[in-house]
């Protein structure tokens, strides 16, 4: 697996993807994965983020061992440009 760096610019419709997994998730302690890339939003415009990609870091902050809630909070509070480290 190869780590990709994907830079997205949050627009009015948001980042445009949802995530699953996380430490303490109902399915066990899992990495953070992309569940859905919505048809609109920064991820769809960029085109590189895919369903099933593992997000390992956001703006240099590791998501390894992070809860789902903490990952969602980090993604939501980030404004402007966001840099994702992703394993495809």
């Amino acid at each position: 697996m190869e780590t990709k760096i994907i830079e997205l610019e949050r627009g009015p419709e948001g980042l445009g993807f949802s995530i699953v997994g996380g430490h303490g998730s109902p399915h066990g302690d899992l990495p953070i994965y992309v569940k859905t890339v919505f048809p609109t939003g920064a991820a769809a415009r960029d085109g590189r983020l895919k369903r099933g990609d593992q997000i390992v870091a956001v703006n240099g902050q590791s998501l390894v061992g992070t809860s789902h809630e903490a990952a969602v909070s980090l993604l939501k509070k980030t404004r402007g440009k966001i840099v994702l480290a992703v394993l495809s």
Side-chain angles (χ1 to χ4, degrees):
M1 295 218 288
E2 163 189 349
T3 303
K4 293 188 294 193
I5 301 300
I6 299 176
E7 289 187 15
L8 301 175
E9 188 74 36
R10 182 192 296 274
E13 63 280 309
L15 293 172
F17 65 92
S18 65
I19 59 172
V20 294
H23 191 77
S25 83
H27 305 291
D29 295 339
L30 298 170
I32 301 292
Y33 288 102
V34 175
K35 178 180 180 186
T36 307
V37 176
F38 301 114
T40 61
R45 274 196 309 278
D46 179 82
R48 292 178 290 169
L49 195 66
K50 304 288 184 223
R51 175 184 167 90
D53 284 353
Q54 179 183 339
I55 302 175
V56 293
V58 175
N59 290 346
Q61 186 172 334
S62 174
L63 293 186
V64 176
T66 301
S67 71
H68 180 83
E69 292 76 19
V72 168
S73 174
L74 179 62
L75 288 164
K76 283 190 173 181
K77 77 178 185 190
T78 305
R79 296 286 168 240
K81 190 183 342 183
I82 185 167
V83 180
L84 304 174
V86 175
L87 291 175
S88 288

PDB file of all heavy atoms in Angstrom, residues 35-72:
ATOM      1  N   LYS A  35     -16.093   5.994   3.877  1.00  0.00           N
ATOM      2  CA  LYS A  35     -17.305   5.197   3.647  1.00  0.00           C
ATOM      3  C   LYS A  35     -17.941   5.581   2.314  1.00  0.00           C
ATOM      4  O   LYS A  35     -18.285   4.730   1.518  1.00  0.00           O
ATOM      5  CB  LYS A  35     -18.294   5.425   4.789  1.00  0.00           C
ATOM      6  CG  LYS A  35     -19.602   4.680   4.609  1.00  0.00           C
ATOM      7  CD  LYS A  35     -20.545   4.943   5.762  1.00  0.00           C
ATOM      8  CE  LYS A  35     -21.857   4.195   5.573  1.00  0.00           C
ATOM      9  NZ  LYS A  35     -22.825   4.536   6.604  1.00  0.00           N
ATOM     10  N   THR A  36     -18.109   6.888   2.100  1.00  0.00           N
ATOM     11  CA  THR A  36     -18.794   7.381   0.910  1.00  0.00           C
ATOM     12  C   THR A  36     -18.116   8.653   0.418  1.00  0.00           C
ATOM     13  O   THR A  36     -17.762   9.502   1.240  1.00  0.00           O
ATOM     14  CB  THR A  36     -20.271   7.730   1.235  1.00  0.00           C
ATOM     15  OG1 THR A  36     -20.887   6.607   1.862  1.00  0.00           O
ATOM     16  CG2 THR A  36     -21.049   8.110  -0.022  1.00  0.00           C
ATOM     17  N   VAL A  37     -17.947   8.766  -0.894  1.00  0.00           N
ATOM     18  CA  VAL A  37     -17.563  10.041  -1.505  1.00  0.00           C
ATOM     19  C   VAL A  37     -18.819  10.560  -2.190  1.00  0.00           C
ATOM     20  O   VAL A  37     -19.351   9.914  -3.095  1.00  0.00           O
ATOM     21  CB  VAL A  37     -16.406   9.883  -2.519  1.00  0.00           C
ATOM     22  CG1 VAL A  37     -16.110  11.218  -3.197  1.00  0.00           C
ATOM     23  CG2 VAL A  37     -15.158   9.338  -1.835  1.00  0.00           C
ATOM     24  N   PHE A  38     -19.312  11.697  -1.721  1.00  0.00           N
ATOM     25  CA  PHE A  38     -20.563  12.244  -2.244  1.00  0.00           C
ATOM     26  C   PHE A  38     -20.333  12.871  -3.626  1.00  0.00           C
ATOM     27  O   PHE A  38     -19.217  13.274  -3.942  1.00  0.00           O
ATOM     28  CB  PHE A  38     -21.146  13.266  -1.268  1.00  0.00           C
ATOM     29  CG  PHE A  38     -21.416  12.670   0.091  1.00  0.00           C
ATOM     30  CD1 PHE A  38     -20.709  13.095   1.201  1.00  0.00           C
ATOM     31  CD2 PHE A  38     -22.348  11.661   0.252  1.00  0.00           C
ATOM     32  CE1 PHE A  38     -20.940  12.530   2.460  1.00  0.00           C
ATOM     33  CE2 PHE A  38     -22.590  11.091   1.494  1.00  0.00           C
ATOM     34  CZ  PHE A  38     -21.881  11.531   2.597  1.00  0.00           C
ATOM     35  N   PRO A  39     -21.401  12.945  -4.455  1.00  0.00           N
ATOM     36  CA  PRO A  39     -21.240  13.467  -5.828  1.00  0.00           C
ATOM     37  C   PRO A  39     -20.808  14.932  -5.874  1.00  0.00           C
ATOM     38  O   PRO A  39     -20.253  15.377  -6.858  1.00  0.00           O
ATOM     39  CB  PRO A  39     -22.620  13.296  -6.459  1.00  0.00           C
ATOM     40  CG  PRO A  39     -23.451  12.531  -5.503  1.00  0.00           C
ATOM     41  CD  PRO A  39     -22.739  12.456  -4.195  1.00  0.00           C
ATOM     42  N   THR A  40     -21.086  15.683  -4.809  1.00  0.00           N
ATOM     43  CA  THR A  40     -20.646  17.076  -4.753  1.00  0.00           C
ATOM     44  C   THR A  40     -19.681  17.225  -3.580  1.00  0.00           C
ATOM     45  O   THR A  40     -19.682  16.414  -2.662  1.00  0.00           O
ATOM     46  CB  THR A  40     -21.835  18.038  -4.557  1.00  0.00           C
ATOM     47  OG1 THR A  40     -22.486  17.721  -3.325  1.00  0.00           O
ATOM     48  CG2 THR A  40     -22.828  17.950  -5.701  1.00  0.00           C
ATOM     49  N   GLY A  41     -18.880  18.237  -3.633  1.00  0.00           N
ATOM     50  CA  GLY A  41     -17.934  18.483  -2.551  1.00  0.00           C
ATOM     51  C   GLY A  41     -16.502  18.418  -3.048  1.00  0.00           C
ATOM     52  O   GLY A  41     -16.225  18.051  -4.201  1.00  0.00           O
ATOM     53  N   ALA A  42     -15.594  18.769  -2.162  1.00  0.00           N
ATOM     54  CA  ALA A  42     -14.180  18.878  -2.514  1.00  0.00           C
ATOM     55  C   ALA A  42     -13.595  17.542  -2.973  1.00  0.00           C
ATOM     56  O   ALA A  42     -12.805  17.504  -3.925  1.00  0.00           O
ATOM     57  CB  ALA A  42     -13.393  19.420  -1.322  1.00  0.00           C
ATOM     58  N   ALA A  43     -13.966  16.441  -2.330  1.00  0.00           N
ATOM     59  CA  ALA A  43     -13.398  15.134  -2.685  1.00  0.00           C
ATOM     60  C   ALA A  43     -13.811  14.706  -4.097  1.00  0.00           C
ATOM     61  O   ALA A  43     -12.994  14.184  -4.855  1.00  0.00           O
ATOM     62  CB  ALA A  43     -13.812  14.075  -1.669  1.00  0.00           C
ATOM     63  N   ALA A  44     -15.068  14.947  -4.452  1.00  0.00           N
ATOM     64  CA  ALA A  44     -15.540  14.585  -5.799  1.00  0.00           C
ATOM     65  C   ALA A  44     -14.853  15.445  -6.856  1.00  0.00           C
ATOM     66  O   ALA A  44     -14.463  14.941  -7.908  1.00  0.00           O
ATOM     67  CB  ALA A  44     -17.053  14.743  -5.893  1.00  0.00           C
ATOM     68  N   ARG A  45     -14.681  16.737  -6.578  1.00  0.00           N
ATOM     69  CA  ARG A  45     -13.999  17.626  -7.528  1.00  0.00           C
ATOM     70  C   ARG A  45     -12.556  17.172  -7.745  1.00  0.00           C
ATOM     71  O   ARG A  45     -12.050  17.180  -8.853  1.00  0.00           O
ATOM     72  CB  ARG A  45     -14.008  19.074  -7.027  1.00  0.00           C
ATOM     73  CG  ARG A  45     -15.252  19.840  -7.388  1.00  0.00           C
ATOM     74  CD  ARG A  45     -15.065  21.332  -7.218  1.00  0.00           C
ATOM     75  NE  ARG A  45     -14.526  21.717  -5.928  1.00  0.00           N
ATOM     76  CZ  ARG A  45     -15.233  21.854  -4.812  1.00  0.00           C
ATOM     77  NH1 ARG A  45     -16.528  21.622  -4.821  1.00  0.00           N
ATOM     78  NH2 ARG A  45     -14.654  22.221  -3.686  1.00  0.00           N
ATOM     79  N   ASP A  46     -11.888  16.777  -6.659  1.00  0.00           N
ATOM     80  CA  ASP A  46     -10.488  16.345  -6.753  1.00  0.00           C
ATOM     81  C   ASP A  46     -10.377  14.996  -7.467  1.00  0.00           C
ATOM     82  O   ASP A  46      -9.492  14.793  -8.290  1.00  0.00           O
ATOM     83  CB  ASP A  46      -9.880  16.255  -5.350  1.00  0.00           C
ATOM     84  CG  ASP A  46      -8.439  15.799  -5.375  1.00  0.00           C
ATOM     85  OD1 ASP A  46      -7.559  16.643  -5.616  1.00  0.00           O
ATOM     86  OD2 ASP A  46      -8.195  14.597  -5.176  1.00  0.00           O
ATOM     87  N   GLY A  47     -11.252  14.044  -7.119  1.00  0.00           N
ATOM     88  CA  GLY A  47     -11.320  12.773  -7.819  1.00  0.00           C
ATOM     89  C   GLY A  47     -10.380  11.668  -7.354  1.00  0.00           C
ATOM     90  O   GLY A  47     -10.455  10.556  -7.845  1.00  0.00           O
ATOM     91  N   ARG A  48      -9.499  11.941  -6.392  1.00  0.00           N
ATOM     92  CA  ARG A  48      -8.526  10.917  -5.982  1.00  0.00           C
ATOM     93  C   ARG A  48      -8.967  10.096  -4.777  1.00  0.00           C
ATOM     94  O   ARG A  48      -8.539   8.963  -4.615  1.00  0.00           O
ATOM     95  CB  ARG A  48      -7.167  11.557  -5.673  1.00  0.00           C
ATOM     96  CG  ARG A  48      -6.481  12.115  -6.910  1.00  0.00           C
ATOM     97  CD  ARG A  48      -5.175  12.775  -6.560  1.00  0.00           C
ATOM     98  NE  ARG A  48      -5.426  14.008  -5.814  1.00  0.00           N
ATOM     99  CZ  ARG A  48      -4.484  14.700  -5.185  1.00  0.00           C
ATOM    100  NH1 ARG A  48      -3.238  14.299  -5.186  1.00  0.00           N
ATOM    101  NH2 ARG A  48      -4.796  15.814  -4.547  1.00  0.00           N
ATOM    102  N   LEU A  49      -9.813  10.654  -3.907  1.00  0.00           N
ATOM    103  CA  LEU A  49     -10.254   9.940  -2.710  1.00  0.00           C
ATOM    104  C   LEU A  49     -11.343   8.940  -3.095  1.00  0.00           C
ATOM    105  O   LEU A  49     -12.296   9.287  -3.785  1.00  0.00           O
ATOM    106  CB  LEU A  49     -10.792  10.938  -1.682  1.00  0.00           C
ATOM    107  CG  LEU A  49     -10.953  10.422  -0.258  1.00  0.00           C
ATOM    108  CD1 LEU A  49      -9.597  10.081   0.361  1.00  0.00           C
ATOM    109  CD2 LEU A  49     -11.659  11.460   0.609  1.00  0.00           C
ATOM    110  N   LYS A  50     -11.180   7.696  -2.659  1.00  0.00           N
ATOM    111  CA  LYS A  50     -12.111   6.632  -3.044  1.00  0.00           C
ATOM    112  C   LYS A  50     -12.676   5.932  -1.814  1.00  0.00           C
ATOM    113  O   LYS A  50     -12.050   5.885  -0.765  1.00  0.00           O
ATOM    114  CB  LYS A  50     -11.393   5.574  -3.898  1.00  0.00           C
ATOM    115  CG  LYS A  50     -10.706   6.111  -5.143  1.00  0.00           C
ATOM    116  CD  LYS A  50     -11.695   6.521  -6.200  1.00  0.00           C
ATOM    117  CE  LYS A  50     -10.990   6.960  -7.471  1.00  0.00           C
ATOM    118  NZ  LYS A  50     -11.570   8.160  -8.038  1.00  0.00           N
ATOM    119  N   ARG A  51     -13.858   5.333  -1.988  1.00  0.00           N
ATOM    120  CA  ARG A  51     -14.460   4.496  -0.959  1.00  0.00           C
ATOM    121  C   ARG A  51     -13.454   3.399  -0.584  1.00  0.00           C
ATOM    122  O   ARG A  51     -12.845   2.776  -1.452  1.00  0.00           O
ATOM    123  CB  ARG A  51     -15.740   3.872  -1.496  1.00  0.00           C
ATOM    124  CG  ARG A  51     -16.393   2.891  -0.564  1.00  0.00           C
ATOM    125  CD  ARG A  51     -17.622   2.254  -1.243  1.00  0.00           C
ATOM    126  NE  ARG A  51     -18.059   1.115  -0.488  1.00  0.00           N
ATOM    127  CZ  ARG A  51     -18.951   1.157   0.506  1.00  0.00           C
ATOM    128  NH1 ARG A  51     -19.506   2.299   0.832  1.00  0.00           N
ATOM    129  NH2 ARG A  51     -19.294   0.068   1.149  1.00  0.00           N
ATOM    130  N   GLY A  52     -13.259   3.192   0.718  1.00  0.00           N
ATOM    131  CA  GLY A  52     -12.337   2.151   1.176  1.00  0.00           C
ATOM    132  C   GLY A  52     -10.932   2.644   1.455  1.00  0.00           C
ATOM    133  O   GLY A  52     -10.134   1.922   2.053  1.00  0.00           O
ATOM    134  N   ASP A  53     -10.611   3.880   1.042  1.00  0.00           N
ATOM    135  CA  ASP A  53      -9.299   4.436   1.377  1.00  0.00           C
ATOM    136  C   ASP A  53      -9.190   4.617   2.891  1.00  0.00           C
ATOM    137  O   ASP A  53     -10.163   4.995   3.551  1.00  0.00           O
ATOM    138  CB  ASP A  53      -9.088   5.801   0.712  1.00  0.00           C
ATOM    139  CG  ASP A  53      -8.779   5.717  -0.773  1.00  0.00           C
ATOM    140  OD1 ASP A  53      -8.590   4.594  -1.280  1.00  0.00           O
ATOM    141  OD2 ASP A  53      -8.720   6.780  -1.412  1.00  0.00           O
ATOM    142  N   GLN A  54      -8.010   4.346   3.431  1.00  0.00           N
ATOM    143  CA  GLN A  54      -7.772   4.556   4.858  1.00  0.00           C
ATOM    144  C   GLN A  54      -7.135   5.928   5.045  1.00  0.00           C
ATOM    145  O   GLN A  54      -6.138   6.251   4.400  1.00  0.00           O
ATOM    146  CB  GLN A  54      -6.838   3.477   5.406  1.00  0.00           C
ATOM    147  CG  GLN A  54      -6.539   3.660   6.883  1.00  0.00           C
ATOM    148  CD  GLN A  54      -5.538   2.630   7.409  1.00  0.00           C
ATOM    149  OE1 GLN A  54      -5.352   1.575   6.827  1.00  0.00           O
ATOM    150  NE2 GLN A  54      -4.910   2.956   8.517  1.00  0.00           N
ATOM    151  N   ILE A  55      -7.720   6.744   5.921  1.00  0.00           N
ATOM    152  CA  ILE A  55      -7.151   8.057   6.224  1.00  0.00           C
ATOM    153  C   ILE A  55      -6.254   7.895   7.452  1.00  0.00           C
ATOM    154  O   ILE A  55      -6.734   7.545   8.535  1.00  0.00           O
ATOM    155  CB  ILE A  55      -8.249   9.107   6.474  1.00  0.00           C
ATOM    156  CG1 ILE A  55      -9.156   9.213   5.246  1.00  0.00           C
ATOM    157  CG2 ILE A  55      -7.629  10.467   6.805  1.00  0.00           C
ATOM    158  CD1 ILE A  55     -10.338  10.132   5.428  1.00  0.00           C
ATOM    159  N   VAL A  56      -4.957   8.111   7.261  1.00  0.00           N
ATOM    160  CA  VAL A  56      -4.011   7.894   8.358  1.00  0.00           C
ATOM    161  C   VAL A  56      -3.638   9.181   9.080  1.00  0.00           C
ATOM    162  O   VAL A  56      -3.210   9.140  10.240  1.00  0.00           O
ATOM    163  CB  VAL A  56      -2.738   7.143   7.895  1.00  0.00           C
ATOM    164  CG1 VAL A  56      -3.077   5.720   7.501  1.00  0.00           C
ATOM    165  CG2 VAL A  56      -2.057   7.854   6.754  1.00  0.00           C
ATOM    166  N   ALA A  57      -3.817  10.339   8.427  1.00  0.00           N
ATOM    167  CA  ALA A  57      -3.503  11.615   9.080  1.00  0.00           C
ATOM    168  C   ALA A  57      -4.281  12.746   8.417  1.00  0.00           C
ATOM    169  O   ALA A  57      -4.602  12.693   7.227  1.00  0.00           O
ATOM    170  CB  ALA A  57      -2.010  11.903   9.013  1.00  0.00           C
ATOM    171  N   VAL A  58      -4.578  13.770   9.225  1.00  0.00           N
ATOM    172  CA  VAL A  58      -5.238  14.987   8.753  1.00  0.00           C
ATOM    173  C   VAL A  58      -4.349  16.162   9.169  1.00  0.00           C
ATOM    174  O   VAL A  58      -4.094  16.353  10.365  1.00  0.00           O
ATOM    175  CB  VAL A  58      -6.645  15.147   9.366  1.00  0.00           C
ATOM    176  CG1 VAL A  58      -7.272  16.476   8.958  1.00  0.00           C
ATOM    177  CG2 VAL A  58      -7.542  13.991   8.958  1.00  0.00           C
ATOM    178  N   ASN A  59      -3.869  16.910   8.195  1.00  0.00           N
ATOM    179  CA  ASN A  59      -2.967  18.042   8.456  1.00  0.00           C
ATOM    180  C   ASN A  59      -1.813  17.649   9.371  1.00  0.00           C
ATOM    181  O   ASN A  59      -1.461  18.375  10.300  1.00  0.00           O
ATOM    182  CB  ASN A  59      -3.739  19.233   9.022  1.00  0.00           C
ATOM    183  CG  ASN A  59      -4.646  19.866   7.986  1.00  0.00           C
ATOM    184  OD1 ASN A  59      -4.525  19.605   6.797  1.00  0.00           O
ATOM    185  ND2 ASN A  59      -5.573  20.674   8.428  1.00  0.00           N
ATOM    186  N   GLY A  60      -1.261  16.465   9.125  1.00  0.00           N
ATOM    187  CA  GLY A  60      -0.113  15.999   9.896  1.00  0.00           C
ATOM    188  C   GLY A  60      -0.446  15.358  11.228  1.00  0.00           C
ATOM    189  O   GLY A  60       0.433  14.829  11.903  1.00  0.00           O
ATOM    190  N   GLN A  61      -1.703  15.387  11.632  1.00  0.00           N
ATOM    191  CA  GLN A  61      -2.123  14.773  12.897  1.00  0.00           C
ATOM    192  C   GLN A  61      -2.583  13.343  12.632  1.00  0.00           C
ATOM    193  O   GLN A  61      -3.534  13.125  11.886  1.00  0.00           O
ATOM    194  CB  GLN A  61      -3.243  15.594  13.538  1.00  0.00           C
ATOM    195  CG  GLN A  61      -3.626  15.092  14.919  1.00  0.00           C
ATOM    196  CD  GLN A  61      -4.606  16.035  15.609  1.00  0.00           C
ATOM    197  OE1 GLN A  61      -4.660  17.222  15.330  1.00  0.00           O
ATOM    198  NE2 GLN A  61      -5.380  15.483  16.522  1.00  0.00           N
ATOM    199  N   SER A  62      -1.910  12.394  13.252  1.00  0.00           N
ATOM    200  CA  SER A  62      -2.212  10.980  13.031  1.00  0.00           C
ATOM    201  C   SER A  62      -3.616  10.626  13.512  1.00  0.00           C
ATOM    202  O   SER A  62      -4.062  11.105  14.554  1.00  0.00           O
ATOM    203  CB  SER A  62      -1.189  10.117  13.766  1.00  0.00           C
ATOM    204  OG  SER A  62      -1.550   8.746  13.672  1.00  0.00           O
ATOM    205  N   LEU A  63      -4.292   9.760  12.743  1.00  0.00           N
ATOM    206  CA  LEU A  63      -5.593   9.238  13.156  1.00  0.00           C
ATOM    207  C   LEU A  63      -5.472   7.814  13.699  1.00  0.00           C
ATOM    208  O   LEU A  63      -6.478   7.200  14.039  1.00  0.00           O
ATOM    209  CB  LEU A  63      -6.579   9.248  11.981  1.00  0.00           C
ATOM    210  CG  LEU A  63      -7.015  10.614  11.448  1.00  0.00           C
ATOM    211  CD1 LEU A  63      -8.095  10.447  10.389  1.00  0.00           C
ATOM    212  CD2 LEU A  63      -7.497  11.516  12.560  1.00  0.00           C
ATOM    213  N   VAL A  64      -4.250   7.291  13.787  1.00  0.00           N
ATOM    214  CA  VAL A  64      -4.034   5.932  14.299  1.00  0.00           C
ATOM    215  C   VAL A  64      -4.459   5.880  15.770  1.00  0.00           C
ATOM    216  O   VAL A  64      -4.011   6.680  16.583  1.00  0.00           O
ATOM    217  CB  VAL A  64      -2.560   5.510  14.136  1.00  0.00           C
ATOM    218  CG1 VAL A  64      -2.326   4.143  14.756  1.00  0.00           C
ATOM    219  CG2 VAL A  64      -2.174   5.496  12.662  1.00  0.00           C
ATOM    220  N   GLY A  65      -5.381   4.959  16.081  1.00  0.00           N
ATOM    221  CA  GLY A  65      -5.867   4.810  17.447  1.00  0.00           C
ATOM    222  C   GLY A  65      -6.891   5.848  17.869  1.00  0.00           C
ATOM    223  O   GLY A  65      -7.283   5.909  19.029  1.00  0.00           O
ATOM    224  N   THR A  66      -7.347   6.667  16.936  1.00  0.00           N
ATOM    225  CA  THR A  66      -8.318   7.724  17.224  1.00  0.00           C
ATOM    226  C   THR A  66      -9.736   7.171  17.176  1.00  0.00           C
ATOM    227  O   THR A  66     -10.031   6.295  16.380  1.00  0.00           O
ATOM    228  CB  THR A  66      -8.176   8.853  16.173  1.00  0.00           C
ATOM    229  OG1 THR A  66      -6.853   9.357  16.213  1.00  0.00           O
ATOM    230  CG2 THR A  66      -9.138   9.987  16.423  1.00  0.00           C
ATOM    231  N   SER A  67     -10.611   7.717  18.024  1.00  0.00           N
ATOM    232  CA  SER A  67     -12.015   7.308  17.978  1.00  0.00           C
ATOM    233  C   SER A  67     -12.689   7.927  16.754  1.00  0.00           C
ATOM    234  O   SER A  67     -12.208   8.918  16.189  1.00  0.00           O
ATOM    235  CB  SER A  67     -12.752   7.773  19.240  1.00  0.00           C
ATOM    236  OG  SER A  67     -12.918   9.189  19.213  1.00  0.00           O
ATOM    237  N   HIS A  68     -13.815   7.339  16.357  1.00  0.00           N
ATOM    238  CA  HIS A  68     -14.599   7.863  15.233  1.00  0.00           C
ATOM    239  C   HIS A  68     -14.993   9.318  15.512  1.00  0.00           C
ATOM    240  O   HIS A  68     -14.856  10.185  14.651  1.00  0.00           O
ATOM    241  CB  HIS A  68     -15.847   6.996  15.031  1.00  0.00           C
ATOM    242  CG  HIS A  68     -16.712   7.450  13.906  1.00  0.00           C
ATOM    243  ND1 HIS A  68     -16.466   7.109  12.594  1.00  0.00           N
ATOM    244  CD2 HIS A  68     -17.815   8.237  13.881  1.00  0.00           C
ATOM    245  CE1 HIS A  68     -17.386   7.668  11.816  1.00  0.00           C
ATOM    246  NE2 HIS A  68     -18.212   8.353  12.575  1.00  0.00           N
ATOM    247  N   GLU A  69     -15.462   9.583  16.729  1.00  0.00           N
ATOM    248  CA  GLU A  69     -15.926  10.923  17.095  1.00  0.00           C
ATOM    249  C   GLU A  69     -14.797  11.942  16.989  1.00  0.00           C
ATOM    250  O   GLU A  69     -14.999  13.054  16.507  1.00  0.00           O
ATOM    251  CB  GLU A  69     -16.509  10.928  18.514  1.00  0.00           C
ATOM    252  CG  GLU A  69     -17.792  10.148  18.661  1.00  0.00           C
ATOM    253  CD  GLU A  69     -17.590   8.626  18.683  1.00  0.00           C
ATOM    254  OE1 GLU A  69     -16.455   8.156  18.937  1.00  0.00           O
ATOM    255  OE2 GLU A  69     -18.567   7.900  18.413  1.00  0.00           O
ATOM    256  N   ALA A  70     -13.587  11.563  17.450  1.00  0.00           N
ATOM    257  CA  ALA A  70     -12.442  12.487  17.394  1.00  0.00           C
ATOM    258  C   ALA A  70     -12.043  12.769  15.945  1.00  0.00           C
ATOM    259  O   ALA A  70     -11.703  13.904  15.594  1.00  0.00           O
ATOM    260  CB  ALA A  70     -11.264  11.922  18.173  1.00  0.00           C
ATOM    261  N   ALA A  71     -12.099  11.747  15.094  1.00  0.00           N
ATOM    262  CA  ALA A  71     -11.757  11.926  13.677  1.00  0.00           C
ATOM    263  C   ALA A  71     -12.762  12.841  12.994  1.00  0.00           C
ATOM    264  O   ALA A  71     -12.388  13.752  12.238  1.00  0.00           O
ATOM    265  CB  ALA A  71     -11.695  10.571  12.970  1.00  0.00           C
ATOM    266  N   VAL A  72     -14.057  12.631  13.262  1.00  0.00           N
ATOM    267  CA  VAL A  72     -15.106  13.483  12.678  1.00  0.00           C
ATOM    268  C   VAL A  72     -14.911  14.927  13.140  1.00  0.00           C
ATOM    269  O   VAL A  72     -14.972  15.864  12.340  1.00  0.00           O
ATOM    270  CB  VAL A  72     -16.513  12.966  13.055  1.00  0.00           C
ATOM    271  CG1 VAL A  72     -17.587  13.993  12.707  1.00  0.00           C
ATOM    272  CG2 VAL A  72     -16.798  11.644  12.351  1.00  0.00           C
TER     273      VAL A  72
END
